[in-house]
Amino acid sequence: MGGFADLIRDVPDFPKPGIVFKDILPVLSDPAAFASAINALSDPWRTLGLTAVAGIEARGFILGAAMARELGVGFVPLRKPGKLPGQLHEVAYALEYGHDRLQVQRDAFAAGSRVLLVDDVLATGGTLVAAAELLQATGAELVGAAVLVELRALGGRARWTCPAPLHATLAY
Ligand code: AMP
């Protein structure tokens, strides 16, 4: 995968004891690795008629915005509460370490939008499933979901029951 896999760092006991955090930031700070990660993330979706990428706060913004540019489509942020102005849709969910909510602006997607969800890591799957629910509330069509890293032992893929495909660039 163009060498970027070697740059993903395991950080034990972050942000809580027992969690092995996958730190992707060294991939972003290396220009060649960043480019090859964005290419690998984008490749499965190039011919599927996407109109937008929706990135999950916060690392999903970085990967998702770069993918949107690579794919020539728009970018929409799915944000934590209190950040977005205007009328919103909201979903609450549980994650590997705590609870959270995601919001999106009600008018973020034009009618007929075909959207790809993006995040950095798939762990238990709670975040991605919640993001798919949120997207459904907007009326946009979910074309698929892309993550850079899937942590197989945490079973996130089994919770992804959407018919839209879920693609992980790397799986551990
Ligand atoms: P989950 O909802 O359990 O699939 O958790 C996924 C979300 O939490 C993603 O937005 C990740 O950025 C973050 N996350 C969960 N577990 C990890 C991990 N072990 N390393 C890095 N990020 C993680």
Side-chain angles (χ1 to χ4, degrees), residues 120-170:
D120 63 334
V121 172
L122 176 72
T124 67
T127 306
L128 208 59
V129 168
E133 250 176 68
L134 187 61
L135 204 68
Q136 217 162 21
T138 68
E141 185 181 344
L142 176 61
V143 175
V147 295
L148 190 62
V149 174
E150 173 181 355
L151 302 175
R152 284 205 185 102
L154 295 171
R157 187 169 287 274
R159 289 181 65 184
W160 182 258
T161 54
C162 302
L166 162 60
H167 193 272
T169 307
L170 303 168

Side-chain angles (χ1 to χ4, degrees), residues 8-154:
I8 296 173
R9 249 187 327 221
D10 281 359
V11 184
D13 299 319
F14 181 86
K16 287 187 178 173
I19 305 283
V20 180
F21 188 83
K22 290 283 181 191
D23 181 13
I24 68 153
L25 299 187
V27 176
L28 306 181
S29 60
D30 178 312
F34 190 20
S36 89
I38 294 305
N39 273 328
L41 271 164
S42 302
D43 279 345
W45 313 101
R46 289 187 193 277
T47 60
L48 296 180
L50 294 180
T51 63
V53 170
I56 300 172
E57 187 164 353
R59 289 177 298 272
F61 292 174
I62 302 166
L63 299 176
M67 287 174 71
R69 289 291 294 149
E70 173 67 23
L71 293 166
V73 302
F75 177 79
V76 171
L78 308 183
R79 299 213 64 175
K80 307 285 170 66
K83 308 284 190 183
L84 288 172
Q87 294 223 304
L88 308 174
H89 292 292
E90 179 178 287
V91 66
Y93 63 102
L95 33 74
E96 189 183 0
Y97 37 85
H99 284 81
D100 221 330
R101 286 177 289 150
L102 278 177
Q103 299 180 331
V104 67
Q105 288 180 320
R106 281 182 181 255
D107 60 358
F109 299 104
S113 289
R114 290 174 52 78
V115 181
L116 176 68
L117 278 175
V118 175
D119 205 357
D120 63 334
V121 172
L122 176 72
T124 67
T127 306
L128 208 59
V129 168
E133 250 176 68
L134 187 61
L135 204 68
Q136 217 162 21
T138 68
E141 185 181 344
L142 176 61
V143 175
V147 295
L148 190 62
V149 174
E150 173 181 355
L151 302 175
R152 284 205 185 102
L154 295 171

